[in-house]
Structures are given as C-alpha cells and as structure tokens.
Amino acid sequence: MPVVSSAVYPNVSYSVAAGSVYGQAFTSQSLPAVGQFKETNTFSSQSTSVPHLLQQHVPVGYNTTLSTISSAQSVQDNLCRNLTGSVAKVNNQINAGGIDSSQPVHPVSQSVLFTKPGAGTSVSSAVISSVRTPAPSLSSQPRSSPSVTQSPELALQEAIDSSSTTSSASPVLNNYDALEGGGYPEARSVTSSPVPAPSVPQTSKASKPFGYGYPTLQPGYQNAAPPTPVQPSNSGHHPGFQHYPQQYPGVNQLSSSLGGLSLQHSQQPESLRPVNLTQDRNILPVSSVPAPVPNLNSDLRKLNCSPDSFRCTLTNIPQTQALLNKAKLPLGLLLHPFRDLTQLPVITSSTIVRCRSCRTYINPFVSFIDQRRWKCNLCYRVNDVPEEFMYNPLTRSYGEPHKRPEVQNSTVEFIASSDYMLRPPQPAVYLFVLDVSHNAVEAGYLTIVCQSLLENLDKLPGDSRTRIGFITFDSTVQFYNLQEGLSQPQMLIVSDIDDIFLPTPDSLLVNLHESKELIKDLLNALPNMFTNTRETHSALGPALQAAFKLMSPTGGRISVFQTQLPSLGAGLLHSREDPNQRSSTKVVQHLGPATDFYKKLALDCSGQQTAVDLFLLSSQYSDLASLACMSKYSAGCIYYYPSFHRSHNPAQAEKLQKDLKRYLTRKIGFEAVMRIRCTKGLSIHTFHGNFFVRSTDLLSLANVNPDAGFAVQMSIEESLTDTSLVCFQTALLYTSSKGERRIRVHTLCLPVVSSLADVYAGADVQAVVCLLANMAVDRSVSSSLSDARDALVNAVVDSLASYMSTASNLQQSMLIAPNSLKLFPLYILALLKQKAFRTGTSTRLDDRVYAMCQMKSQPLVHLMKMIHPNLYRIDKLIDESTIHVNDRVVPQPPLQKLSAEKLTREGAFLMDCGSIFYIWIGKNCDNNFIKDVLGYPNYASVPQKMTQLPEVDALSSERTRSFISWLRDSRPLSPVLQVIKDENPAKTDFFQHLIEDRTEAAFSYYEFLLNIQQQICK
Amino acid sequence: LKNVFPDLGLQIITLSDLECDYINARSCCSKLNKWVVPEVIGHAVVTVLMLISLHWFIFLLNLPVATWNIYRYIMVPSGNMGVFDPTEIHNRGQLKSHMKEAMIKLGFHLLCFFMYLYSMILALIND
C-alpha cells in the first residue's frame, strides 16, 4: 500500500521535538491538499505542476513550433485554459484536444492513448516531457512508436517537421545536457527512413545538431562524440575492408596493416616466455600492466570491446571443460558496463535488430550470409535483415547492412522504444535519510552533507520531473514537508516506530525545481537543528521502512547516512565484535549478516526499483556485515569512513566531501536490468557484485552507477570444437535521468584454443586475480576465512604446477611461470595481505567487511589499485621521460616495487592506492624538493597533517602537480592526498601496503615464492 | 500403519521444487521455505511413530533422512532467509544441488510409499 492516508493517525503521537526550529505541522493542515489528489496516484502531485510549468515554456514553444505543428497548440491551449481544473480534467482535455484536431496531431493523440493504461501517471509524464522539450509533438513521439509501423508515410512527414523544429530549438535543449556525460551537445543526428524513398536525403538534410530530447520517429543516428559526424566511423572502413569476419579472415588480414600481423606473431611467444620467479626480481613493468590483447585477426581486434569495460580472465578460451580444469585457472568475465565513456555511438532506431531465438543484439561479430540474412554469433540461428537495416544513415547508402554503426562498434547504446518499458520511464527521485542522533551531531557530518548538496543541487542528474525528499531519524523519525507554497519547511515527527507510517504522503517527495527555495532553507537549517540533542538511540530500521514506503510508487535512490549501530525498532543490531579477536590467526567470525531484516528490505526495495546507498561514518563497530545487505541486494553502493570526525580527522572529512561530489553528480540509470549472454556451450553459474539475480541470467539493478563493477564465473557445458570464436554480450537496459529508456550493449569476441600452452598464453593475470578475490570473499562468508586464504594459495600452486608439468623441458627445481602469469604470485600475496583476508594483524571487523564489499563491487581498474598500489619516486621527476596531455607535460616515473628496500631516505615517494595518495618523504630528502614542492623550508617543518600541495612556481612543483592531476584524471573519485613523514602515526597505513616485505604475521614475497615451490614439489 | 498421508504432502513439496526454475527467485524461495518446517516436523513424527510401533527396519531407513532435514534447518546462517535464500540460490550451482536433493528425496518417498502400502495391506490381511 503506497499511501498511508492521514485518516490513520489515531494511534499516532505527534510529540514536539525539543529544540526544533520549525513549527509543528499536524497532518490536518495539509489534508485539503491530500484530498485533492485522492483518486490519482502519487504522480498527481506532478500533474498539478503542469499548467504552471507550461506557462513558462509556452512562449518558447510557440516561437519554435507555430509554423510546423499547429495542433500542438491546441493541446497547450487546453492545458493552459485548464489551469484551475482538476487533474482528472487535464487528463481528459489532452485526449480531447488530440482527437478533435485533425491529422497532424495524430502522433500526439496516439501517444496519449497508448500510454493511457497507466492512468494518471502516464498522462502526466507524457505532458511533462513535452514541457521539457519545447516542441510537444516531437517529444512524445517515441512513445507512439507503434504508430510508426502503422503509417510510415505519415510518420515520415512528421519526422521532417519535427526534425526541423528540433534544430531550431537546439540552443535551448543543449542546456539540459551539460549534466549527462557523454558529450551529447556535440551529438549530431542523421535520420533515415524505413523505406528508401526519394524524400530520404531531404530528411537527412533537414536534421541539424540537436541536444537531447527524443529526436525523431525515424531511425535516426546520433553519433555522440565526434564533432565531425561521418568521418570517425568511416575511418574504421579500410578501402578494402570486408565485413565477413568468419568467412574471409585471410582476406581481411591481407588487406589490413601488416604491423598488426607481426605484432600478433611476436606476442604469442612473449606471453609464454618462461620466467624464473625466484631469480627474476624485477617483474613489474615500467608503467601500468596492460590488458592482454586477444589473439584475433587485426580487423576483429579493432572492433573488439575495450578491456576497460569488458574483460575475460582467459583471452584464449579453452575448448573443453577438461582443458579448463587442467589449466586450473578460473574462467569468468569482469564487467564495467556503465563506465563513463567519452565516445559512445547512440542509435535511435524504430526496430532494434536482435536474434529471433536468443535475443542477442546485432553486433560486429555476426556474419552476413548474404545481403538479406545474418547468422547469430551466439546461437548460430540465421535471421533476416530487416528492410530498414539495409539503409545506412551514416554513409547514406542502401544495401550495406554490415556498415551500420551497430555492426561497426562493439559498444553501442540504443534508445529503446516502448516495447522495452513495463511502465512509463520513472523520474529521477532522490531521498536522503540522515542520522541526527547525538553521535551523528558530534561527528559533524551533517554540515558536509548539506553543504555538498547545496553546492550540487543544480547538478543532480534529472529533468524537470526530478524529485527530492529528506528523512532524519534518531529515536523517532522526522519527515519534512516541502510542498511548494509553504513559507518554510515543516517538520513532521513520527514517534511510533513500531508501526511506521507516512504523515503526508504527497508532500514529502517534492519537485526539485518547484520547491528549490524550501529545500535550500532546509539544507541551511539542518546542520544546526539538532545541535543540542540528547538522543543517543538510532532507529534506522523504521526510518528505512518509511523510506521504502515513500519511494515504492516511483522507485529511485535512497541515500542513508548512518553513524552507529541501529539500536531501536525493527532491524536493531547488537555488537558482535570481540576486540581481542581482531588479530586472531584462527577464525574470524561474524562476516555474515546477523539478521535477515536488511536483506528482506533490500529485496523489497529492489522489487520497487529503489536502490539503497549506505554511507557509514562511524567510530565504533556498527556491524557493516548486516547493514551492507541493504545496499548489496538493492544494487546500491557502500561508502565507509572509519573514525570519521569533521575536525579531528580532516582527511576523512575531505574524502567524504569529494566522494559526495562525485556521488551526487555522476550519471545514474534507474530501473535497470542487465543480461549477459554467451555463445552456446558456455554458461554462467555465479554472479558477483551488488544486485539481485532475479532469474537464472537476469540481474535486477534498481540503480546503476558508473562506478559499479560486476564479475561472473563461467563453465564450459558443451565442447566448443566446432567454433573458432566465442562471444559474450552484456545488455544493460536502464532509464536515464532524463526519462529515456536506453540499452547499452557491449560485445566481446575471443578465440577458442585447444592446447594448454595457448590457454596460459592468453591468461589475463589482473582479471584472474580480481575474479579470485571475488570468489574468496564468497568463500570466507560461506565457509571460513582460512579456507578462503588456502584457496587463494592453492590457485597459484595448482596453476603453476600444471604449467610446469606441461613444459617438460623445464627444470623442476625452479619456480617457473609463463610471462603472462609472472605477476600472479605477487598479486595473490598482495590479496592475502589485504584488509579483507589478512590474519594475524589487528583488523577491525568493519574494515574487513568493507574491504570485502569493495572487492565485490569495484570495477577491475579500481580493485587492482586497491590490491597492488602503484609506487613512484617523485623527487627526480624533472629527469623522467614525459608525455604531453592537453598541453601539459606529464612525467612518467617508472613503477617501483612495493618494498621498503626501494624507499631511500634521500627520496620522496608517491603511492597511488586508488582512493588515497600517500606521499612519503625520506628523512634526508633534498631540501630543494621540500621547499619547491611542499612549500616548507626543511624536513622538520613539514606538518603532520598535510593534505594539499601548494602551487609553487618551480619546475619540480609543476611537474609533481601535473603528474598527480594526471593520475587523478584517470579515475572518477578524486583521491585524497596525504603527506607522510617518518614519525607520522599514518605511517603504518603506508607501510602496510608494502606487500613485498615481511611482517610479523605474513611472508615476504621471496618467502612466499619458496613456500609455493615447496608445495608444488610435494 | 496410517502414515501414508503426510508422505503425499512431502512429495508435493519436492515436486514444486522442480518447477521453480521458471519463476522469480524471491517468490520461489518464499514458497519453498514455507514448507521446510512442516517437512521437518512431519518426517520427525513419522520416524518417531515408527519407533513407537516398533517397525525397526522402516525406522532405521527414515532416520538418516530425518536427521539430514533437521541438520539442514539448523545450519542456516543467521542472515539468510531460510533454507532457500533468494540471493544465493543462483550462485555456485546451488539450484542444481537443491534439485538433486529433491530428486533423491522423491525417490526415497516413492520407495517408502510402496513399503507402507505393502505393510498396510499385510496388516489388513493379518487382521
């Protein structure tokens, strides 16, 4: 039941909060407002806003659309006249207006009728979106795609009209875009038609660059990044390029560059070159470890998906399960599907071409049997090429289906039609649930959160429908009525936490743009409202239940800020950590949740398309293992700030600030599902990441964010002997923050091999390690930590033993690894020394659990930095080789081993751990460096807590800063910098990352190698 | 002697297990979890009744299965939503092992059913 009406309150006590700034509001006050919308559902509050908004926009709309779309006027007129009418009437008027007016309005009326089953909701959303883009008929067209197929001629005509209107409106539309990454402002469309009619060139000519909004009815193409639209995809076509990969590989190779070929041949022995691990101490590459390139012919290789979004642990897929078992390496995929991309082809097409039996999207690795038929590369079914697909809008030619952008790019995004919607696309809805108990106020996080929100309020991804709400809780739950028209926000306190209800369901989540002043008022007042609170309890469970009730009609994102163990109401937890067991080497207990409350809540939320993101800022044990469940299964994300305090711990405070900035402004996809398909014979059996597996291969993601990574494990069910290539495809269907349904498709193609040596040659050591880390997390929760550690060691021992037994000419007394796996033991040792898996060193349970959560949900690039940080020497950057990035000179110091032997007292070192940068200064470090880079006269005067480098006008300072900002640019979270001197307490944080060294509880790298060798010989 | 009826109930559970490949993990698991406790209790009662009526052979046959049922119920981790957990059922071949278990139980109950039938007829004739 989504709405708890105000008639329920006999059993409610509205107690007056001590120290509350705001006047108390009793529900009866807002009753009239509630009554008005009783019959429509919760979207109704938006519908009321329509007339108001329309009035603002109508002039624009008239200017641009007057000449072309006369009928749209009548709809708007109707709406305007209806200003005072009830919501239900608006609803009718739209229909009436559409039907009354003649032909040209056809699409509009169609769209309204089509979405009608959704009752009030759909109408309101349709209207709102028409407000969003000034040309009303234009924006509602994609919804009416059924009408496209029904009347192509009419549709064509409409498209010409609408495309011209869009172009004239484009300056306005571009504004909406600044928020969403991906460079839409430069987007350019080329429209095509289903029939190669003579009017086609005309259509394409008419279309001009436009920003966002629904472009046309026609299958138009938006090629996102390139400023010159046609050329980039043309550059993919060589003069002699033939796109029949599986049929004529030889021809392709010949026609393409020879450089690729020679590289391919030389690479193979290189990755298999035996490396004697015990003797060869310098195994780290000079710069970052590259992803192995699949051994494909150069054309396929060019088309293949970027390793940043899609990686397989074995780039050469073994032919049979037996061969895979022999290799003793895990087979799986690591995905980063929603990554921020600078170049992404966006395709608007009325029919998305998919295989009829396995529903695979057409991709670069399908083969065209002839002009009219294509063969699916996953299930091998032969499909027809639809008529519309024959026309290529990029080259404006007919009969070249293999040159369409879908077939030229392995990462594409489709704008989906209404077939891909279960309900009208939801608006962006954000709910913030804030802990305001004594503990929270003491830590002072509210100031930072409110400040960040105020700064980024305009940058929150969304459109004119964006809604926002706030709930705070201590031992009671406080709601905030922010309904437009109030003079100040009203606080509504519900103290009945056993049976939580919403006091005024309609005015708690409000339109961001309409109530902006009230929201700003609230955010300014919130940090000071609870300064004198004596409430130490935390009723997190009831607050979450209330949040779920509030969000369930729409779905969206709940951000929970919690600072202690929940101690009241449903979902209360008890301390389970025994501090004496922190450094135990035997058993680590309580890695799993204590109660199923949070799991159930997460599944409920997931079912209502709501994700819960958790920010845990606590100084004591807060049972993250239980709390994390609310984010894990609702596809949220988890942030943890141990011993957070605004003034005592400035590094954490700065980190929270930076994380929040990224968190609030990054892209977001709502009501998403992800499906991973693979070639017949392979099957996926285990999934890792934050989501809920709804059916065997469908991942339900209430929200998807660009920082989420996923991993899957696969097995080979049937032998792959009759194929030479296998393909994997992930399709992520989501609603963008602008209310568009989009599908992002990645396709990866890999060769199949039959010999064990080839399997080792193609091993991707980073992917293997990340997948093993995921598996080890599962193992330590379901079994025990020591089991997981043993499994990690065994993974190295088994695979190296198996490799050494295949290479018969090697001496058994040495520890030999193929070049592709030479870093394997080092990475595994690093994993064993991670907070998640280490034993013997004192590790707080929450820290351990958080590290585990990160391993499950971080994409590969971030996870690798966490496992094996990069160490650079930075006091001699002037001498290093440099590269030029955007007119800046960026020095490229070589990677250093993570060992104290590399840390000389005369040097300064930078360690890049992904989320934090440490700069370690040696005692005898050159004074010039300290003066120029750090801005202090000598070593002794460098302060203990230093988190920023000053801008000094010296070459070394400039180089250092450009190097650090270059490192920062490569990742979404901008890491916190920490300068460390020898006597600094943070020194241990730095030194624990030197994983090649021996600690009292763990092996050094050399000892670890000897240990492995011993186990192999056994 | 009159213990045929609870068995029919048990078989329905195991059969529903087989179908559940096709539905949402959440509803599947809540459906299955509802039947775990009745199954444990039913089987324990049958086993005890056999002991009381001094059917030694049948008692010994039932004992391992009853123990396994109870063990499985007790060993559920505290944070899980019962023997069948919707968030884990698709991982690490759990679905397969559940299916295998259900099939074995189905076979076992079929065997028991005929044995009970046989002993019931035998008892009727003897009367």
Side-chain angles (χ1 to χ4, degrees), chain A residues 258-269 293 301:
Chain A
L258 278 162
L261 267 178
S262 58
L263 191 123
Q264 180 188 332
H265 285 301
S266 64
Q267 181 214 355
Q268 186 120 348
V293 183
R301 197 185 292 164

Side-chain angles (χ1 to χ4, degrees), chain A residues 65-78:
Chain A
T65 61
L66 200 64
S67 52
T68 49
I69 305 166
S70 55
S71 55
Q73 269 179 311
S74 66
V75 180
Q76 290 186 338
D77 271 342
N78 283 333

Side-chain angles (χ1 to χ4, degrees), chain A residues 589-732:
Chain A
Q589 281 176 313
H590 308 306
L591 291 171
T595 158
D596 62 356
F597 172 82
Y598 295 98
K599 200 184 241 185
K600 275 184 177 148
L601 186 100
L603 294 185
D604 288 339
C605 284
S606 171
Q608 299 297 332
Q609 308 295 353
T610 307
V612 187
D613 294 342
L614 173 68
F615 288 79
L616 186 64
L617 319 113
S618 75
S619 39
Q620 317 124 12
Y621 175 71
S622 311
D623 202 351
L624 186 61
S626 303
L627 293 180
C629 285
M630 69 170 120
S631 301
K632 261 187 205 167
Y633 303 110
S634 66
C637 47
I638 302 160
Y639 294 88
Y640 175 52
Y641 305 88
S643 54
F644 178 87
H645 196 283
R646 195 162 74 95
S647 47
H648 297 170
N649 196 344
Q652 290 285 17
E654 195 190 336
K655 187 163 184 294
L656 174 68
Q657 218 164 3
K658 284 184 167 163
D659 286 356
L660 271 175
K661 183 163 186 271
R662 163 77 184 165
Y663 173 78
L664 293 171
T665 54
R666 72 186 175 191
K667 249 181 98 154
I668 182 168
F670 296 100
E671 39 184 7
V673 287
M674 185 163 79
R675 192 163 249 148
I676 304 162
R677 298 183 172 87
C678 37
T679 297
K680 207 170 80 182
L682 293 169
S683 82
I684 294 169
H685 62 84
T686 306
F687 301 88
H688 304 278
N690 289 356
F691 47 68
F692 173 51
V693 191
R694 204 152 63 192
S695 67
T696 27
D697 62 340
L698 187 71
L699 309 183
S700 147
L701 302 156
N703 282 3
V704 58
N705 68 67
D707 304 331
F710 306 93
V712 297
Q713 281 169 259
M714 290 186 297
S715 59
I716 302 168
E717 302 271 286
E718 296 164 38
S719 146
L720 302 166
T721 35
D722 47 357
T723 175
S724 60
L725 295 172
V726 289
C727 289
F728 309 95
Q729 187 173 69
T730 50
L732 177 74

